[in-house]
Amino acid sequence: MSRMLAILRLGHRIGRDKRVTTHVALVARAFGADKIFISSKDAGLVRSVRSVVARFGGDFEIEDGVEWKRLVKTWTGTVVHLTMYGQPIDEALPKIPKENVLIVVGAEKVPPEIYELADFNVAIGNQPHSEVAALAVFLDRLLKGAGLRRIVRGRLTIIPSERGKSVVESREYASTRR
Amino acid sequence: MSRMLAILRLGHRIGRDKRVTTHVALVARAFGADKIFISSKDAGLVRSVRSVVARFGGDFEIEDGVEWKRLVKTWTGTVVHLTMYGQPIDEALPKIPKENVLIVVGAEKVPPEIYELADFNVAIGNQPHSEVAALAVFLDRLLKGAGLRRIVRGRLTIIPSERGKSVVESREYASTRR
């Protein structure tokens, strides 16, 4: 469907935002995006996310210290900014071209220019909630659930179960992969 | 559709989990749930969530210091535990009775009994990501987006916009309401 589906996390503050930004990055990966760009430097965050990719598989990428304005201005595709002030997702989604989508999610404050630079400002409900939730629901609706149904092969694979936890560790995969 | 739709947040740690649990609570409210129960005491968390309700409206409730095991055992309806180890949501959702649903979301570790006490253990993808995202997507799918489309009247109302921020403050509402 999309050649490149990426996320830009704006306004991440080292320390204070680490857990929430980690959730944003893991949601991006689990719901089918290819890459996340972080507008500040945070080596610990990058390490955490790469460690999940190393264990659970896939090719998801993270890049920190990105000049966000240049990225947004030179993006060849659609830029969608998720914000509670935007137009409702039910109205916006049919209008959004689906090739090469960059989804922008802010922390508490975002630079006002992003409202002008984005092609679409989209609200996942016009109530305060969470950028983690907004990103998940947007990706779920954009990909019609297909991101979640993908099989990612990794060293650790969870086997769906009605009760309890079932995890398979693949030595073979680990040895060919690392 | 449901007479009562509530969330139980397990394993919240004061301080460390405040931001993520706040996101969980605001997602519950914004996506159409009635109430959140927190299994530990956290007055600051309760205050933050009530302050959003006071400003943005609705009847969403939060209760902390809840004896979670008693709540789950005496719940007259369906108990759904969201976990990456569970059965896929695409398979589970048609089987879940929709009246009086209690949705359980854990922090990093959950007591193993919850896998037995829940009627359903449901995975929003079998990959690690975020309880905030899992709750949002589950509520969005359960209510088929209707939670998001509800109009909540409050002192502050956001007007959906293609560009910029538009917020209306209703004095009248404020004075009749508080």
Side-chain angles (χ1 to χ4, degrees), chain A residues 9-94:
Chain A
R9 168 67 157 167
L10 280 187
H12 167 79
R13 294 154 300 179
I14 205 166
R16 177 161 161 76
D17 290 326
K18 178 159 187 232
R19 280 185 75 205
V20 174
T21 302
T22 302
H23 284 222
V24 168
L26 296 183
V27 162
R29 173 183 175 274
F31 284 78
D34 301 299
K35 179 164 183 174
I36 188 167
F37 299 96
I38 313 288
S39 65
S40 37
K41 274 278 178 197
D42 190 336
L45 169 72
V46 169
R47 210 158 37 233
S48 297
V49 173
R50 288 191 182 145
S51 136
V52 172
V53 177
R55 281 174 289 147
F56 287 91
D59 299 315
F60 184 76
E61 288 175 38
I62 178 167
E63 182 180 337
D64 65 343
V66 169
E67 275 190 56
W68 73 267
K69 218 180 288 184
R70 194 164 71 179
L71 177 68
V72 168
K73 285 184 175 170
T74 60
W75 185 260
T76 52
T78 313
V79 177
V80 177
H81 173 219
L82 299 181
T83 162
M84 69 172 170
Y85 300 101
Q87 54 180 316
I89 182 170
D90 290 336
E91 287 170 26
L93 203 53

Coordinates of all heavy atoms in Angstrom, one line a residue, chain A residues 9-94:
Chain A
R9 N 8.5 12.2 15.6 CA 8.2 12.5 17.0 C 8.8 13.9 17.2 O 10.1 14.0 17.3 CB 8.7 11.5 17.9 CG 8.7 11.8 19.4 CD 7.3 12.0 19.9 NE 7.3 11.8 21.4 CZ 6.3 12.1 22.1 NH1 5.2 12.6 21.6 NH2 6.3 11.9 23.4
L10 N 8.0 14.9 17.5 CA 8.4 16.2 17.8 C 8.5 16.5 19.3 O 7.6 16.1 20.0 CB 7.4 17.3 17.2 CG 7.5 17.6 15.7 CD1 6.5 18.7 15.4 CD2 8.9 18.0 15.3
G11 N 9.5 17.3 19.7 CA 9.5 17.9 21.0 C 9.8 16.9 22.1 O 9.5 17.1 23.3
H12 N 10.4 15.7 21.8 CA 10.8 14.8 22.8 C 11.9 15.4 23.7 O 12.9 15.9 23.3 CB 11.4 13.5 22.1 CG 12.1 12.6 23.0 ND1 11.4 11.7 23.8 CD2 13.4 12.4 23.3 CE1 12.3 11.0 24.5 NE2 13.5 11.4 24.2
R13 N 11.6 15.3 25.0 CA 12.6 15.8 26.0 C 13.3 14.6 26.7 O 12.6 13.7 27.2 CB 11.9 16.6 27.0 CG 11.3 17.9 26.5 CD 10.2 18.4 27.3 NE 9.1 17.5 27.3 CZ 7.9 17.7 28.0 NH1 7.8 18.8 28.7 NH2 7.0 16.7 27.9
I14 N 14.6 14.6 26.6 CA 15.3 13.4 27.2 C 15.0 13.3 28.7 O 14.7 14.3 29.4 CB 16.8 13.7 27.0 CG1 17.6 12.4 27.0 CG2 17.4 14.7 27.9 CD1 19.0 12.5 26.4
G15 N 14.9 12.1 29.1 CA 14.5 11.8 30.5 C 13.0 11.9 30.7 O 12.3 10.8 30.6
R16 N 12.4 13.0 30.7 CA 11.0 13.2 31.0 C 10.1 12.4 30.0 O 9.1 11.9 30.4 CB 10.6 14.7 30.9 CG 9.2 15.0 31.1 CD 8.9 16.5 31.5 NE 7.6 16.9 31.2 CZ 6.5 16.5 32.0 NH1 6.7 15.8 33.0 NH2 5.3 16.9 31.6
D17 N 10.4 12.4 28.7 CA 9.5 11.8 27.7 C 9.9 10.4 27.3 O 9.3 9.8 26.4 CB 9.5 12.6 26.4 CG 8.7 14.0 26.7 OD1 7.8 14.0 27.5 OD2 9.1 15.0 26.1
K18 N 11.0 9.8 28.0 CA 11.5 8.6 27.4 C 10.4 7.5 27.3 O 10.3 6.8 26.3 CB 12.7 8.1 28.3 CG 13.2 6.7 27.7 CD 14.6 6.4 28.1 CE 14.9 5.1 27.3 NZ 15.5 4.0 28.2
R19 N 9.7 7.3 28.4 CA 8.7 6.2 28.3 C 7.6 6.4 27.3 O 7.3 5.5 26.5 CB 8.1 5.9 29.7 CG 9.0 5.1 30.6 CD 8.3 4.8 31.9 NE 7.4 3.7 31.8 CZ 6.3 3.5 32.6 NH1 6.1 4.3 33.6 NH2 5.5 2.5 32.4
V20 N 7.1 7.6 27.2 CA 6.0 7.9 26.3 C 6.5 7.8 24.9 O 5.9 7.2 24.0 CB 5.3 9.2 26.6 CG1 4.3 9.5 25.5 CG2 4.6 9.2 27.9
T21 N 7.7 8.3 24.6 CA 8.3 8.2 23.3 C 8.6 6.7 22.9 O 8.4 6.3 21.7 CB 9.5 9.1 23.1 OG1 9.1 10.4 23.4 CG2 10.0 9.1 21.7
T22 N 9.0 6.0 23.9 CA 9.3 4.5 23.6 C 7.9 3.9 23.2 O 7.9 3.1 22.3 CB 9.8 3.8 24.9 OG1 11.1 4.5 25.2 CG2 10.1 2.4 24.6
H23 N 6.9 4.2 23.9 CA 5.5 3.7 23.5 C 5.2 4.1 22.1 O 4.7 3.3 21.3 CB 4.5 4.1 24.5 CG 4.4 3.4 25.8 ND1 3.3 3.0 26.4 CD2 5.4 3.1 26.7 CE1 3.6 2.5 27.6 NE2 4.9 2.5 27.7
V24 N 5.5 5.4 21.8 CA 5.2 5.8 20.4 C 5.9 5.0 19.4 O 5.4 4.6 18.4 CB 5.5 7.4 20.3 CG1 5.5 7.8 18.8 CG2 4.6 8.2 21.1
A25 N 7.2 4.8 19.6 CA 8.1 4.0 18.7 C 7.6 2.6 18.6 O 7.6 2.0 17.5 CB 9.5 4.1 19.2
L26 N 7.3 1.9 19.7 CA 6.9 0.5 19.6 C 5.5 0.4 18.9 O 5.3 -0.6 18.2 CB 6.9 -0.1 21.0 CG 8.2 -0.2 21.7 CD1 8.1 -0.9 23.1 CD2 9.3 -0.9 20.8
V27 N 4.7 1.4 19.1 CA 3.4 1.4 18.4 C 3.6 1.5 16.9 O 3.0 0.8 16.1 CB 2.5 2.5 18.9 CG1 1.3 2.8 17.9 CG2 1.9 2.1 20.3
A28 N 4.5 2.4 16.5 CA 4.9 2.6 15.1 C 5.3 1.2 14.5 O 4.8 0.8 13.5 CB 6.0 3.6 15.0
R29 N 6.2 0.6 15.2 CA 6.7 -0.7 14.7 C 5.6 -1.8 14.7 O 5.4 -2.5 13.7 CB 7.8 -1.2 15.6 CG 8.3 -2.6 15.3 CD 9.3 -3.1 16.3 NE 9.6 -4.5 16.0 CZ 8.9 -5.5 16.6 NH1 7.9 -5.3 17.4 NH2 9.2 -6.8 16.2
A30 N 4.8 -1.9 15.8 CA 3.8 -3.0 15.9 C 2.6 -2.8 14.9 O 2.0 -3.8 14.5 CB 3.3 -3.1 17.3
F31 N 2.3 -1.6 14.6 CA 1.2 -1.3 13.7 C 1.6 -1.1 12.3 O 0.7 -0.7 11.5 CB 0.4 -0.1 14.3 CG -0.4 -0.4 15.5 CD1 0.2 -0.5 16.7 CD2 -1.8 -0.6 15.4 CE1 -0.6 -0.8 17.9 CE2 -2.6 -0.9 16.5 CZ -2.0 -1.0 17.8
G32 N 2.8 -1.4 11.9 CA 3.2 -1.5 10.5 C 4.0 -0.3 9.9 O 4.1 -0.3 8.7
A33 N 4.5 0.6 10.7 CA 5.3 1.6 10.1 C 6.7 1.1 9.9 O 7.1 0.1 10.4 CB 5.3 2.9 11.0
D34 N 7.5 1.8 9.0 CA 8.9 1.4 8.7 C 9.9 2.0 9.6 O 11.0 1.5 9.8 CB 9.2 1.8 7.3 CG 8.2 1.2 6.3 OD1 8.2 -0.1 6.2 OD2 7.5 1.9 5.6
K35 N 9.6 3.3 10.0 CA 10.7 4.1 10.6 C 10.2 5.2 11.5 O 9.1 5.7 11.2 CB 11.6 4.7 9.5 CG 12.7 5.5 10.0 CD 13.7 5.8 9.0 CE 14.9 6.6 9.6 NZ 16.0 6.8 8.6
I36 N 10.9 5.5 12.6 CA 10.6 6.7 13.4 C 11.8 7.7 13.4 O 12.9 7.2 13.6 CB 10.1 6.3 14.8 CG1 9.5 7.6 15.5 CG2 11.2 5.7 15.6 CD1 8.7 7.3 16.8
F37 N 11.5 8.9 13.2 CA 12.5 10.0 13.3 C 12.2 10.7 14.6 O 11.0 11.1 14.9 CB 12.3 11.0 12.2 CG 12.5 10.5 10.8 CD1 11.5 10.0 10.0 CD2 13.8 10.4 10.3 CE1 11.7 9.5 8.7 CE2 14.0 9.9 9.0 CZ 12.9 9.4 8.2
I38 N 13.2 11.0 15.4 CA 13.1 11.8 16.7 C 13.8 13.1 16.5 O 14.9 13.1 16.0 CB 13.7 11.0 17.8 CG1 13.4 9.5 17.8 CG2 13.5 11.7 19.2 CD1 11.9 9.2 18.2
S39 N 13.1 14.2 16.8 CA 13.7 15.5 16.6 C 14.7 15.9 17.6 O 15.3 17.0 17.4 CB 12.6 16.6 16.5 OG 12.0 16.7 17.8
S40 N 15.0 15.1 18.6 CA 16.1 15.4 19.5 C 17.0 14.2 19.6 O 16.7 13.1 19.1 CB 15.6 15.9 20.8 OG 14.5 15.2 21.2
K41 N 18.1 14.4 20.3 CA 19.1 13.3 20.5 C 18.7 12.5 21.8 O 18.5 13.2 22.8 CB 20.5 13.9 20.7 CG 21.3 14.1 19.4 CD 21.9 12.8 18.9 CE 22.6 12.9 17.6 NZ 22.9 11.6 17.0
D42 N 18.7 11.2 21.7 CA 18.5 10.4 22.9 C 19.0 9.0 22.7 O 18.3 8.1 22.2 CB 17.0 10.4 23.3 CG 16.8 9.9 24.7 OD1 17.6 9.1 25.2 OD2 15.7 10.2 25.3
A43 N 20.2 8.8 23.1 CA 20.9 7.5 22.8 C 20.2 6.4 23.6 O 20.1 5.3 23.1 CB 22.4 7.6 23.2
G44 N 19.7 6.7 24.8 CA 19.1 5.6 25.6 C 17.8 5.2 25.0 O 17.5 4.0 24.9
L45 N 17.0 6.1 24.5 CA 15.8 5.8 23.7 C 16.1 4.9 22.5 O 15.4 3.9 22.3 CB 15.1 7.1 23.3 CG 13.9 7.0 22.4 CD1 12.7 6.4 23.1 CD2 13.6 8.3 21.8
V46 N 17.1 5.3 21.7 CA 17.4 4.6 20.5 C 17.8 3.2 20.9 O 17.4 2.2 20.2 CB 18.6 5.3 19.8 CG1 19.1 4.5 18.7 CG2 18.0 6.6 19.2
R47 N 18.6 3.0 21.9 CA 19.1 1.7 22.4 C 17.9 0.8 22.8 O 17.8 -0.3 22.4 CB 20.0 1.9 23.6 CG 21.0 0.8 23.7 CD 22.3 1.2 24.5 NE 21.9 2.1 25.6 CZ 22.5 3.3 25.9 NH1 23.4 3.8 25.1 NH2 22.1 4.0 26.9
S48 N 16.9 1.4 23.6 CA 15.7 0.6 24.0 C 14.9 0.1 22.8 O 14.5 -1.1 22.8 CB 14.8 1.5 24.8 OG 15.3 1.9 25.9
V49 N 14.7 0.9 21.8 CA 13.9 0.6 20.7 C 14.6 -0.5 19.8 O 14.0 -1.5 19.4 CB 13.5 1.8 19.9 CG1 12.8 1.4 18.6 CG2 12.6 2.7 20.7
R50 N 15.9 -0.3 19.6 CA 16.7 -1.3 18.8 C 16.7 -2.6 19.5 O 16.8 -3.7 18.9 CB 18.1 -0.7 18.5 CG 18.0 0.4 17.5 CD 19.4 0.8 16.9 NE 19.2 1.9 16.0 CZ 20.1 2.9 15.8 NH1 21.2 2.9 16.5 NH2 19.8 3.8 14.9
S51 N 16.7 -2.6 20.8 CA 16.8 -3.9 21.6 C 15.5 -4.7 21.3 O 15.5 -5.9 21.2 CB 17.1 -3.6 23.0 OG 16.3 -4.3 23.9
V52 N 14.3 -4.0 21.3 CA 13.1 -4.7 20.9 C 13.1 -5.3 19.5 O 12.8 -6.4 19.3 CB 11.9 -3.7 21.1 CG1 10.6 -4.4 20.6 CG2 11.7 -3.3 22.6
V53 N 13.7 -4.5 18.6 CA 13.7 -5.0 17.2 C 14.7 -6.2 17.1 O 14.3 -7.2 16.5 CB 14.3 -3.8 16.3 CG1 14.4 -4.4 14.8 CG2 13.3 -2.6 16.3
A54 N 15.8 -6.1 17.9 CA 16.7 -7.3 17.8 C 16.1 -8.5 18.4 O 16.3 -9.6 17.9 CB 18.0 -6.9 18.6
R55 N 15.2 -8.4 19.4 CA 14.6 -9.6 20.0 C 13.4 -10.0 19.3 O 13.2 -11.2 19.1 CB 14.2 -9.3 21.5 CG 15.4 -9.3 22.4 CD 15.0 -8.9 23.8 NE 14.8 -7.4 23.9 CZ 13.9 -6.8 24.7 NH1 13.2 -7.6 25.5 NH2 13.8 -5.5 24.6
F56 N 12.6 -9.1 18.8 CA 11.3 -9.5 18.2 C 11.2 -9.5 16.7 O 10.2 -9.8 16.1 CB 10.2 -8.6 18.8 CG 9.8 -9.0 20.3 CD1 10.5 -8.4 21.3 CD2 8.9 -10.0 20.5 CE1 10.2 -8.7 22.6 CE2 8.6 -10.4 21.8 CZ 9.3 -9.7 22.9
G57 N 12.3 -8.9 16.1 CA 12.4 -9.1 14.6 C 11.9 -7.9 13.8 O 11.4 -6.9 14.4
G58 N 12.0 -8.0 12.5 CA 11.6 -7.0 11.6 C 12.7 -6.0 11.3 O 13.8 -6.1 11.8
D59 N 12.4 -5.0 10.5 CA 13.4 -4.1 10.0 C 13.1 -2.6 10.4 O 13.6 -1.7 9.8 CB 13.4 -4.0 8.4 CG 13.7 -5.4 7.9 OD1 14.7 -6.0 8.4 OD2 13.0 -5.9 7.0
F60 N 12.3 -2.5 11.5 CA 12.0 -1.1 11.9 C 13.2 -0.3 12.3 O 14.1 -0.8 13.0 CB 11.0 -1.3 13.1 CG 10.5 0.1 13.6 CD1 9.5 0.7 12.9 CD2 11.0 0.7 14.7 CE1 9.0 1.9 13.3 CE2 10.5 1.9 15.2 CZ 9.5 2.5 14.4
E61 N 13.2 0.9 11.9 CA 14.4 1.8 12.1 C 14.0 3.0 13.0 O 12.9 3.5 13.0 CB 14.9 2.4 10.8 CG 15.7 1.3 10.0 CD 16.1 1.9 8.6 OE1 16.5 3.1 8.6 OE2 16.0 1.1 7.6
I62 N 15.0 3.5 13.7 CA 14.9 4.7 14.5 C 16.1 5.6 14.3 O 17.2 5.1 14.2 CB 14.7 4.4 16.1 CG1 14.6 5.7 16.8 CG2 15.8 3.5 16.6 CD1 14.1 5.5 18.3
E63 N 15.8 6.9 14.1 CA 16.9 7.8 13.8 C 16.6 9.0 14.7 O 15.5 9.6 14.7 CB 16.9 8.2 12.4 CG 18.0 9.2 12.0 CD 18.0 9.6 10.5 OE1 17.5 8.9 9.7 OE2 18.5 10.7 10.2
D64 N 17.6 9.4 15.6 CA 17.4 10.6 16.4 C 18.2 11.8 15.9 O 18.9 11.7 14.9 CB 17.8 10.2 17.9 CG 19.2 9.9 18.1 OD1 19.9 9.6 17.1 OD2 19.7 9.9 19.3
G65 N 18.0 12.9 16.6 CA 18.7 14.1 16.2 C 18.4 14.6 14.8 O 19.2 15.1 14.0
V66 N 17.1 14.5 14.4 CA 16.7 14.8 13.0 C 16.3 16.3 12.9 O 15.5 16.7 13.8 CB 15.5 13.9 12.6 CG1 14.9 14.3 11.3 CG2 16.0 12.4 12.5
E67 N 16.7 17.0 11.9 CA 16.2 18.3 11.6 C 14.8 18.3 11.1 O 14.6 18.1 9.9 CB 17.1 19.0 10.6 CG 18.4 19.6 11.1 CD 19.0 20.5 10.0 OE1 18.3 21.4 9.4 OE2 20.2 20.2 9.7
W68 N 13.9 18.4 12.0 CA 12.5 18.1 11.6 C 11.9 18.9 10.5 O 11.2 18.5 9.7 CB 11.6 18.1 12.9 CG 11.3 19.5 13.4 CD1 12.0 20.2 14.3 CD2 10.2 20.3 13.0 NE1 11.4 21.4 14.6 CE2 10.3 21.5 13.7 CE3 9.2 20.2 12.0 CZ2 9.4 22.6 13.6 CZ3 8.3 21.3 11.9 CH2 8.4 22.4 12.7
K69 N 12.3 20.2 10.5 CA 11.7 21.1 9.5 C 12.1 20.7 8.1 O 11.3 20.7 7.1 CB 12.0 22.6 9.8 CG 10.8 23.5 9.5 CD 11.2 24.9 9.8 CE 11.3 25.2 11.3 NZ 11.5 26.6 11.6
R70 N 13.4 20.4 8.0 CA 13.9 20.0 6.7 C 13.2 18.7 6.2 O 12.9 18.5 5.1 CB 15.4 19.8 6.7 CG 16.0 19.7 5.3 CD 17.5 19.9 5.3 NE 18.2 18.8 5.9 CZ 19.5 18.7 6.0 NH1 20.3 19.6 5.6 NH2 20.1 17.6 6.6
L71 N 13.1 17.7 7.2 CA 12.4 16.5 6.9 C 11.0 16.7 6.3 O 10.6 16.1 5.3 CB 12.4 15.6 8.1 CG 11.7 14.2 8.0 CD1 12.4 13.3 7.0 CD2 11.4 13.6 9.3
V72 N 10.3 17.5 7.0 CA 8.9 17.8 6.6 C 8.8 18.5 5.3 O 8.0 18.1 4.4 CB 8.2 18.6 7.7 CG1 6.8 19.1 7.3 CG2 8.0 17.8 9.0
K73 N 9.7 19.5 5.1 CA 9.7 20.2 3.8 C 10.1 19.4 2.6 O 9.7 19.7 1.5 CB 10.5 21.5 4.0 CG 9.9 22.6 4.8 CD 10.8 23.8 4.9 CE 10.1 25.0 5.6 NZ 11.0 26.1 5.8
T74 N 11.0 18.5 2.8 CA 11.5 17.7 1.7 C 10.8 16.4 1.5 O 11.2 15.6 0.6 CB 13.0 17.5 1.8 OG1 13.2 16.7 3.0 CG2 13.8 18.8 1.9
W75 N 9.8 16.1 2.3 CA 9.2 14.8 2.3 C 8.4 14.6 1.0 O 7.6 15.5 0.7 CB 8.2 14.6 3.5 CG 7.6 13.2 3.5 CD1 6.3 12.9 3.1 CD2 8.2 12.1 4.0 NE1 6.1 11.6 3.3 CE2 7.2 11.0 3.9 CE3 9.4 11.8 4.6 CZ2 7.5 9.7 4.3 CZ3 9.7 10.4 5.0 CH2 8.7 9.5 4.9
T76 N 8.7 13.6 0.2 CA 7.9 13.4 -1.1 C 6.8 12.5 -0.8 O 6.9 11.3 -1.0 CB 8.8 12.9 -2.2 OG1 9.5 11.7 -1.7 CG2 9.9 13.9 -2.6
G77 N 5.7 13.1 -0.4 CA 4.5 12.3 -0.1 C 3.6 13.1 0.8 O 3.7 14.4 0.7
T78 N 2.8 12.5 1.6 CA 1.8 13.2 2.4 C 2.3 13.4 3.8 O 2.8 12.4 4.4 CB 0.5 12.4 2.5 OG1 0.2 12.0 1.1 CG2 -0.6 13.3 3.0
V79 N 2.2 14.6 4.4 CA 2.5 14.8 5.8 C 1.2 15.0 6.6 O 0.4 15.9 6.3 CB 3.4 16.0 6.0 CG1 3.7 16.3 7.5 CG2 4.7 15.8 5.2
V80 N 1.0 14.1 7.6 CA -0.2 14.1 8.4 C 0.2 14.5 9.8 O 1.0 13.7 10.4 CB -0.9 12.8 8.4 CG1 -2.1 12.8 9.3 CG2 -1.3 12.4 7.0
H81 N -0.3 15.5 10.4 CA 0.0 15.9 11.8 C -1.2 15.5 12.6 O -2.4 15.9 12.4 CB 0.2 17.4 11.8 CG 0.3 18.0 13.2 ND1 -0.2 19.2 13.6 CD2 0.9 17.5 14.3 CE1 0.0 19.4 14.9 NE2 0.7 18.4 15.3
L82 N -1.0 14.7 13.6 CA -2.1 14.2 14.5 C -2.2 15.2 15.6 O -1.2 15.5 16.4 CB -1.8 12.8 15.0 CG -1.7 11.7 14.0 CD1 -1.5 10.4 14.6 CD2 -3.0 11.7 13.1
T83 N -3.4 15.8 15.8 CA -3.6 16.8 16.8 C -5.1 16.9 17.2 O -5.9 16.7 16.3 CB -3.2 18.2 16.4 OG1 -3.8 19.2 17.2 CG2 -3.7 18.5 14.9
M84 N -5.4 17.1 18.5 CA -6.8 17.1 18.9 C -7.5 18.3 18.3 O -8.8 18.4 18.4 CB -6.9 17.1 20.4 CG -6.5 18.3 21.1 SD -7.0 18.1 22.9 CE -6.1 19.5 23.6
Y85 N -6.8 19.3 17.7 CA -7.4 20.5 17.1 C -7.8 20.2 15.6 O -8.4 21.1 15.0 CB -6.5 21.7 17.2 CG -6.1 22.0 18.6 CD1 -4.9 21.6 19.2 CD2 -7.1 22.7 19.4 CE1 -4.6 21.9 20.5 CE2 -6.8 23.0 20.8 CZ -5.6 22.6 21.3 OH -5.3 22.9 22.6
G86 N -7.4 19.1 15.1 CA -7.6 18.9 13.6 C -9.0 18.5 13.2 O -9.9 18.4 14.0
Q87 N -9.1 18.2 11.9 CA -10.4 17.7 11.4 C -10.6 16.2 11.7 O -9.6 15.5 11.9 CB -10.5 17.9 9.9 CG -9.3 17.3 9.1 CD -9.5 17.6 7.6 OE1 -10.6 17.4 7.0 NE2 -8.4 18.0 6.9
P88 N -11.8 15.8 11.9 CA -12.0 14.5 12.4 C -11.5 13.4 11.4 O -11.6 13.6 10.2 CB -13.6 14.4 12.4 CG -14.1 15.8 12.5 CD -13.0 16.6 11.8
I89 N -10.9 12.3 12.0 CA -10.4 11.3 11.1 C -11.4 10.7 10.1 O -11.0 10.4 9.0 CB -9.7 10.2 12.0 CG1 -9.1 9.1 11.1 CG2 -10.7 9.6 13.0 CD1 -8.2 8.1 11.8
D90 N -12.6 10.6 10.6 CA -13.7 10.0 9.6 C -13.8 10.9 8.4 O -14.0 10.3 7.3 CB -15.0 10.0 10.3 CG -15.1 8.9 11.4 OD1 -14.3 8.0 11.4 OD2 -15.9 9.1 12.3
E91 N -13.6 12.2 8.5 CA -13.7 13.1 7.3 C -12.3 13.1 6.6 O -12.3 13.2 5.3 CB -14.0 14.5 7.7 CG -15.4 14.7 8.2 CD -15.6 16.1 8.8 OE1 -14.9 17.0 8.5 OE2 -16.5 16.2 9.6
A92 N -11.2 13.1 7.3 CA -9.9 13.3 6.7 C -9.4 12.0 5.9 O -8.9 12.1 4.8 CB -8.9 13.7 7.7
L93 N -9.6 10.8 6.5 CA -9.0 9.6 6.0 C -9.2 9.4 4.5 O -8.3 9.1 3.7 CB -9.4 8.4 6.8 CG -8.4 7.2 6.8 CD1 -7.0 7.6 7.2 CD2 -8.9 6.2 7.8
P94 N -10.5 9.5 4.0 CA -10.7 9.3 2.6 C -9.9 10.2 1.6 O -9.6 9.9 0.5 CB -12.2 9.5 2.4 CG -12.8 9.4 3.7 CD -11.7 9.9 4.7

